[in-house]
Amino acid sequence: MIISPSEAAVRLQQGDVVALPTETVYGLAGDATNPQAVARIYEIKRRPADNPLICHFASADDVLPYVVRIPDDTRVLMQAFTPGPISFMLNIPDHSPLLFATCGSRQVIVRIPAHPVFQQIARQIGVPLAAPSANTSGFLSPTSAAMVEADLGRYGVVVVDGGPCAVGVESTIVDARSSGLVRILRPGAIGAEEIRSILPRADIEIGSAVAAVPGSRYRHYAPATPLVAISADRLPQLQPGALLLHTEELLTTMRERMPPALLEQVRLFSLGSISNITELARNFYYNLQQVDRIGAPTAYVLVPDWGTTSLGKALNDRFNRMLAAAG
Ligand code: TXA
Ligand code: MG
C-alpha cells in the first residue's frame, strides 16, 4: 500500500516501519532509537541478527549529538557530498541509543540522503532512521515503490512512492576516521576519484569490506535465478534460458553469433546502453528483477566492460557479488 509522506512520519513516530525512497535505493525505515522498530526491520527482512543497520539523518548537524565526534576528513567529505549517496563510519559513545541498530557495535554507519521526500520526513520526525535496503535479506535492492511492494508487500509493508531512484545502487560506505586515510568499504556512485578531488593528499584504500562491513559476508544483491557469466564466443553454445546483455551487444555480437533457431529459445533482457552508465545504474536492479519473472533455470550474462567511472566500478562490484552468490 502506498502512503503519503505525512502519514509515514506519523507511523514512524509511533514506532512503525515504513519503506521510504532515497536517491540510491528504497530503505525499510524505522526509528533507530526504538528497539521495537529495529526488531521489526530485522523480522521483515529476515536479516541476520548480527548485521547492523545504517542510520539516516536529515543533516550533519543532526548526526552530531549521536556520535563521539566527526573527525576532520569525515567532515570535509560530508560537506562536499552530503546530502548524497555516501555513508560514513563513525564512533558512538557507551550507552548510545543507536546500539540496537548497530547490534551492539560502538561504530555506526551514518547516511544523509538527498531525496526530497526522505529529507522532508527525516526533518519532520527528528530522530535517526535505521533503514537498510527494503528487500528480503540476500535479494535485490528495490529502486521503485513497485519493487518494494513486490518483495515486501505481503508482510503489510507500506511505501512512500518517491519515484524511481536517481542513482540505483547503494551508497558508497567510507571510513574516514583517521586523518589522511579514507577506506572505501563499499563502492558506490562517489568513488576514489571524487574523494581525491576533495582530499588530494589522503591515501585512499579500496578495502576488502568483509571484516568491516558484516553485510558483505552474506549472500548479497542477487536475483533468485542463478547467473552464469559467459563471453561472446560462447554464445553459439548457449542453452535455452534467459540472456542479459547491454544494448550494444544486442545489436552486434549476438546477432552475428547466435543461430536464429537458438535465438528463438532465448529470452533477452537488456541491461541498457553501456554508453550511458548513469541510466544503466538506474535500471540495474529492475532489469535483474525482470529475469526472475520468467522462471528460467539459468540467466546467462554477457559480461559488460563497466568502464572506469566510480559508478561503473560500483556496478562491477555488485555484479561480481551476484556471480559469486550464484556459485
Ligand atoms: O544506499 C544505501 O546505503 C541504502 C539506502 C536505503 O540508504 N542502504 C543500504 O543498507 O544499502 P544495507 O543495510 O542494505 O547495507 C548496509 C551495509 C551492510 O552491509 C551492513 O553490514 C553495513 O552496511 N553496516 C551497517 N551498519 C554497520 C556498522 N555499524 N558497522 C559495520 N557495518 C555496518
Ligand atoms: Mg541491502
Side-chain angles (χ1 to χ4, degrees):
M1 190 175 68
I2 303 291
I3 60 166
S4 68
S6 50
E7 161 101 41
V10 171
R11 289 188 184 225
L12 288 165
Q13 264 153 349
Q14 290 168 346
D16 288 349
V17 165
V18 301
L20 299 180
T22 84
E23 69 277 25
T24 55
V25 301
Y26 276 68
L28 187 62
D31 177 349
T33 65
N34 178 330
Q36 271 84 16
V38 169
R40 182 83 184 117
I41 293 173
Y42 281 91
E43 181 186 38
I44 293 168
K45 280 186 59 92
R46 280 171 279 156
R47 184 173 175 105
D50 63 346
N51 189 0
L53 308 178
I54 300 191
C55 294
H56 299 66
F57 299 80
S59 71
D61 284 345
D62 294 324
V63 174
L64 269 175
Y66 289 93
V67 296
V68 174
R69 62 192 199 96
I70 299 184
D72 292 346
D73 286 357
T74 304
R75 186 181 302 276
V76 169
L77 293 176
M78 270 187 176
Q79 267 159 7
F81 298 122
T82 67
I86 183 163
S87 303
F88 300 90
M89 187 177 266
L90 291 169
N91 297 333
I92 54 175
D94 291 337
H95 314 298
S96 163
L98 299 180
L99 283 166
F100 299 110
T102 67
C103 304
S105 165
R106 291 275 306 278
Q107 305 173 87
V108 68
I109 292 180
V110 306
R111 176 157 186 239
I112 302 164
H115 197 293
V117 172
F118 194 101
Q119 276 283 329
Q120 181 193 335
I121 294 168
R123 282 180 195 285
Q124 200 173 328
I125 67 168
V127 292
L129 290 171
S133 52
N135 52 277
T136 303
S137 190
F139 290 89
L140 299 169
S141 297
T143 49
S144 68
M147 275 181 84
V148 177
E149 290 199 300
D151 186 353
L152 300 180
R154 74 195 106 140
Y155 306 117
V157 170
V158 294
V159 193
V160 179
D161 189 351
C165 299
V167 177
V169 284
E170 301 82 353
S171 62
T172 308
I173 301 179
V174 300
D175 178 353
R177 289 174 296 175
S178 322
S179 181
L181 172 66
V182 181
R183 291 171 67 214
I184 299 182
L185 305 178
R186 179 174 71 180
I190 294 166
E193 201 179 318
E194 291 77 14
I195 290 169
R196 195 168 296 121
S197 74
I198 301 297
L199 291 174
R201 281 194 296 276
D203 288 329
I204 300 175
E205 267 178 23
I206 315 287
S208 143
V210 177
V213 183
S216 37
R217 275 205 303 272
Y218 299 105
R219 181 183 184 276
H220 217 211
Y221 310 126
T225 313
L227 290 181
V228 174
I230 57 158
S231 53
D233 57 336
R234 282 191 47 214
L235 278 173
Q237 293 111 49
L238 217 63
Q239 299 296 309
L243 174 64
L244 270 149
L245 72 182
H246 59 85
T247 44
E248 286 83 353
E249 291 284 10
L250 178 72
L251 299 173
T252 56
T253 323
M254 203 206 61
R255 292 221 173 276
E256 285 158 24
R257 300 211 190 214
M258 280 178 73
L262 178 57
L263 207 48
E264 274 170 27
Q265 298 179 58
V266 172
R267 279 285 296 275
L268 301 175
F269 293 88
S270 170
L271 285 166
S273 168
I274 204 76
S275 70
N276 188 345
I277 198 82
T278 307
E279 194 65 33
L280 202 146
R282 247 175 231 160
N283 295 314
F284 185 64
Y285 286 128
Y286 175 78
N287 287 333
L288 282 156
Q289 186 211 34
Q290 294 309 298
V291 172
D292 285 341
R293 288 199 327 188
I294 67 161
T298 309
Y300 298 95
V301 196
L302 205 52
V303 180
D305 174 357
W306 303 101
T308 56
T309 62
S310 298
L311 202 49
K313 287 178 187 161
L315 289 173
N316 187 38
D317 165 77
R318 303 305 189 272
F319 200 69
N320 286 333
R321 282 175 200 285
M322 288 181 198
L323 291 173

